[in-house]
Amino acid sequence: MSAVTLPLLAAAGESGRSVLSPSGVEIVFLLVAVVVLGAAILCVTSRHLVHAALYLVVALGGLAVEYLLLTAEFIAWVQVLIYLGSVVVLLLFGLMLTRAPIGPSPDADSRNRPLALVVALAAAATLVTLVVDAFRTTWIDLSTPHGRSDALGESLFRTWVLPFEALSVLLLAALVGAIVISRARRADSEEGQG
Amino acid sequence: MHLVHPATLAVLLFCVGLYGVLARRNTVLVLMSVELMLAAVSLNLVAFDVWLADELHSGQVFTLFLIALAAAEIGIGLAIVLLVYRRRGTVALDRLRALRDGPGAAEATGGTDGAEQPTANDAARGQETTTP
């Protein structure tokens, strides 16, 4: 009861940890967090469309580093392989196939940009206040790694095997759907010609 | 590590993605912002999974599922965007108003085949007035 009502420093003092004396992992985490946030902000504000995709690479790669710092190494490598390897390449293909201009495009942002800024800032203020207030006395114990591939694979193929199979069916359906959508135009033009 | 650090980073990343979804005009850029929001959710799941030291690794397994879902979503989304681009010649979100409802729907002309749009909208509006 007293730990809840006590202020932050007193509660942290019980366990010998404090926000004001961060550990090395925390410092690295905060530095990478600054890089991730900066790249994300550049990604949503850049007027060069291809640059926006490359800033997305920086942001997602920085997130992989954060996963490594949280000892979730398997997730980190999956993030690098799937997000950086395929999703960003798909996005770049999408930009190229919709004839994105090489230079800056002045119409990258819509007219409701101020409204979007207000909504995003309000959401950020509310959620940051809530999260900081809720978890200010909570610490993650990183002394034992908690994302090793063997433990994760065992859990994935024992407990979560049914959702895993459902997900593979969903991926197959998405693949078939993407092919069908891409082919629809060709069938139409053939009908139009014939 | 203080749990506030990853949680705050996830919140801020989510809000940056929210701004991108609301403010961007190019559909592919909106999809990129959605990816940012999904990545923020993934960071939250991993951080809370490591904090709780879950025996079943629920958070990390869900993050794997989320990454696969994001890949599926981006595949379908880009196929739709490419189809729209081939049909209409644009990927600007505020010019795709063929399905717009309410006042001003008649003047919504979406790109190349704008000639048949007003009649379709008038027909839809006529049905709307007769059915209730």
Side-chain angles (χ1 to χ4, degrees):
Chain A
M1 184 63 194
S2 64
V4 178
T5 53
L6 274 178
L8 170 65
L9 287 177
E14 292 172 3
S15 52
R17 291 176 292 200
S18 159
V19 183
L20 299 178
S21 63
S23 63
V25 176
E26 282 180 329
I27 293 173
V28 177
F29 189 95
L30 288 177
L31 288 178
V32 179
V34 169
V35 173
V36 168
L37 268 184
I41 289 172
L42 283 172
C43 172
V44 297
T45 55
S46 169
R47 291 193 183 281
H48 295 69
L49 302 187
V50 180
H51 289 193
L54 298 179
Y55 283 128
L56 185 68
V57 172
V58 176
L60 295 176
L63 265 184
V65 177
E66 307 282 43
Y67 292 154
L68 275 182
L69 290 175
L70 285 169
T71 70
E73 53 183 40
F74 185 63
I75 302 289
W77 297 122
V78 168
Q79 167 100 356
V80 169
L81 284 176
I82 308 261
Y83 262 120
L84 303 189
S86 65
V87 167
V88 174
V89 172
L90 265 180
L91 282 170
L92 279 173
F93 264 105
L95 281 177
M96 300 293 177
L97 287 174
T98 53
R99 306 226 176 106
I102 298 296
S105 52
D107 58 345
D109 291 321
S110 68
R111 277 169 303 172
N112 48 14
R113 199 176 162 185
L115 184 65
L117 194 62
V118 168
V119 170
L121 283 180
T126 313
L127 286 173
V128 166
T129 312
L130 179 72
V131 163
V132 169
D133 189 45
F135 300 115
R136 61 184 173 183
T137 57
T138 314
W139 301 82
I140 305 177
D141 181 23
L142 292 178
S143 53
T144 56
H146 194 70
R148 290 172 50 210
S149 307
D150 53 350
L152 202 54
E154 198 168 307
S155 160
L156 184 61
F157 288 105
R158 283 227 172 104
T159 314
W160 300 103
V161 66
L162 211 58
F164 182 80
E165 297 297 334
L167 189 72
S168 54
V169 172
L170 182 129
L171 270 179
L172 180 69
L175 187 69
V176 173
I179 292 173
V180 166
I181 289 174
S182 306
R183 281 175 57 89
R185 172 70 175 167
R186 195 172 301 155
D188 281 359
S189 64
E190 276 169 11
E191 282 170 15
Q193 286 165 4
Chain B
M1 185 187 292
H2 206 297
L3 183 59
V4 164
H5 298 323
T8 311
L9 174 63
V11 162
L12 290 177
L13 207 56
F14 186 86
C15 290
V16 168
L18 182 66
Y19 167 78
V21 167
L22 292 177
R24 285 302 206 178
R25 196 157 169 268
N26 189 315
T27 316
V28 184
L29 292 180
V30 172
L31 280 177
M32 278 188 214
S33 308
V34 172
E35 291 302 313
L36 276 180
M37 294 167 84
L38 284 174
V41 175
S42 300
L43 180 64
N44 242 342
L45 283 174
V46 170
F48 280 90
D49 180 77
V50 175
W51 171 46
L52 294 171
D54 187 8
E55 283 297 313
L56 295 176
H57 297 277
S58 319
Q60 298 189 42
V61 171
F62 267 56
T63 307
L64 286 179
F65 291 168
L66 193 58
I67 289 174
L69 277 177
E73 171 246 329
I74 211 78
I76 289 279
L78 279 179
I80 293 173
V81 168
L82 285 184
L83 190 65
V84 166
Y85 180 73
R86 273 188 275 169
R87 294 247 166 175
R88 298 290 167 91
T90 180
V91 286
L93 276 178
D94 47 3
R95 292 189 59 193
L96 303 171
R97 292 184 294 189
L99 294 178
R100 185 178 177 185
D101 198 8
E107 74 212 30
T109 57
T112 53
D113 49 354
E116 34 185 89
Q117 294 276 313
T119 55
N121 274 324
D122 287 344
R125 198 177 270 180
Q127 280 181 358
E128 205 177 313
T129 48
T130 50
T131 39

